[in-house]
Amino acid sequence: MSGTDIDGKAIAQTIRNEISEGVKALLVKDGKVPGLAVILVGARRDSQTYVRMKKRACEECGIASFGFDYPETATEDELVAKILELNADPKVHGILVQLPIPAHMSEGRVLNTIDPTKDVDGLHSYNVAALSSTSTHATSTGKLDWSKLSSIPFHIACTPQGCMELLDRSGVVLKGANAVVIGRSNLVGLPVALLLMHRDATVTIVHSKTVDASTIVARADVVVAAVGRAHMVHKDWIKPGAVVIDVGINSVDDPTAKRGYRLVGDVDYANVKEVASQITPVPGGVGPMTIAMLLRNTLNSCSRS
């Protein structure tokens, strides 16, 4: 048995095409063009690369992009002032602060200055808290349809949202499934666990202090690995037929590669693929979905404005 790749590039392109059509329809209907403002502080090459990718993706989908670059020496107050200005700008429907920001700035204050309705990264405390509400006792009209994430009336973090889209568009049944999330970060582990719970999966979070983690993971129908440790998840951790979503992006030395290194995930892909039914490769799995979800959040924000 050899598992099928979940092609994140192809699925992300499908979603970008959907977004492009949505942008055109919104222009015809309301005369509005979604706008995304991206704030970059410092000169980290990886951050600069991510920002360029986001701007190119905006252009492809017809979303207006506005870039604001600051030196490493910029003050926290400068950033806050710019965010407040963007909050009030009707042309801007999404605001993203590229992380990480310099250590002398308070990430919490900066992110929570963003208007929650424009927080397309889904990291404002309001949006994080909204994701934690199960609405267990809500009436049928008050319940959210978690099978259609674009219908949720607040912003969900992009990478966890992308994981769910990969599962849904690959035909994975989540209701009643035993799901294990490896990692408990605020950016991926916790929100993806909540999203899986909202879809009626039975969810376990495995972390660095978990006893006998491999045994727990081996019971899972769905595994989401998000720890940032190269090839941590081995073949004997995975139940035959399980679906594996690998969020990790790690560089390992490879003298045969042009750059002297190659990118791998948290999962030992080649070996785990022998037992998994479906698996995301790295690169080409979760990564392309993150930007696609950012664009969709921006379109949704414009539609609601």
Side-chain angles (χ1 to χ4, degrees):
M1 171 183 174
S2 181
T4 302
D5 277 353
I6 297 176
D7 189 343
K9 287 183 179 179
I11 293 173
Q13 188 58 56
T14 297
I15 293 172
R16 288 190 189 191
N17 293 343
E18 294 169 359
I19 293 166
S20 295
E21 293 304 311
V23 169
K24 293 174 186 175
L26 189 63
L27 181 61
V28 171
K29 178 174 176 285
D30 296 328
K32 295 192 294 188
V33 176
L36 174 65
V38 179
I39 296 174
L40 174 66
V41 186
R44 284 177 58 117
R45 289 185 179 178
D46 55 346
S47 292
Q48 291 172 335
T49 299
Y50 296 144
V51 167
R52 283 196 300 271
M53 291 168 62
K54 289 165 185 173
K55 289 179 178 178
R56 282 200 301 268
C58 282
E59 184 178 348
E60 176 190 328
C61 293
I63 293 174
S65 65
F66 311 97
F68 302 92
D69 296 352
Y70 289 86
E72 187 87 15
T73 54
T75 68
E76 183 180 309
D77 286 343
E78 285 181 86
L79 243 62
V80 166
K82 173 53 69 174
I83 291 169
L84 291 173
E85 178 187 319
L86 295 171
N87 284 344
D89 188 339
K91 299 188 301 298
V92 174
H93 305 94
I95 301 170
L96 180 144
V97 177
Q98 183 65 46
L99 300 177
I101 55 178
H104 66 271
M105 297 181 181
S106 167
E107 184 177 294
R109 182 190 176 208
V110 169
L111 295 180
N112 282 324
T113 299
I114 300 172
D115 180 338
T117 65
K118 295 188 178 186
D119 167 40
V120 287
D121 237 0
L123 300 179
H124 189 286
S125 295
Y126 172 86
N127 290 321
V128 172
L131 182 60
S132 302
S133 176
T134 60
S135 303
T136 306
H137 301 292
T139 62
S140 58
T141 55
K143 286 187 177 294
L144 301 177
D145 184 357
W146 290 99
S147 67
K148 297 178 181 178
L149 291 181
S150 61
S151 73
I152 303 301
F154 55 85
H155 293 303
I156 300 170
C158 299
T159 300
Q161 190 178 168
C163 292
M164 299 303 292
E165 286 288 342
L166 289 174
L167 291 167
D168 282 338
R169 292 178 188 244
S170 300
V172 179
V173 177
L174 296 173
K175 186 175 183 178
N178 185 4
V180 170
V181 178
I182 308 174
R184 52 180 171 179
S185 72
N186 290 328
L187 289 176
V188 182
L190 290 180
V192 82
L194 288 166
L195 287 168
L196 287 164
M197 182 187 67
H198 286 313
R199 295 295 300 280
D200 298 322
T202 300
V203 183
T204 303
I205 296 177
V206 165
H207 50 77
S208 59
K209 301 299 187 291
T210 300
V211 176
D212 201 9
S214 61
T215 298
I216 295 171
V217 176
R219 294 197 291 264
D221 304 304
V222 176
V223 176
V224 179
V227 287
R229 289 180 57 189
H231 291 166
M232 173 183 167
V233 180
H234 303 290
K235 177 180 177 179
D236 59 358
W237 286 39
I238 302 300
K239 179 172 75 173
V243 177
V244 180
I245 303 293
D246 190 352
V247 183
I249 302 178
N250 313 283
S251 60
V252 296
D253 292 337
D254 183 353
T256 66
K258 183 178 180 180
R259 294 174 294 184
Y261 68 90
R262 59 189 172 90
L263 297 178
V264 301
D266 293 344
V267 176
D268 183 0
Y269 169 80
N271 290 313
V272 168
K273 187 174 181 178
E274 295 177 2
V275 294
S277 62
Q278 298 188 74
I279 185 171
T280 57
V282 176
V286 174
M289 296 296 294
T290 299
I291 294 180
M293 295 300 97
L294 174 69
L295 300 179
R296 191 168 74 179
N297 281 352
T298 304
L299 172 60
N300 289 343
S301 182
C302 183
S303 299
R304 297 170 192 150
S305 66

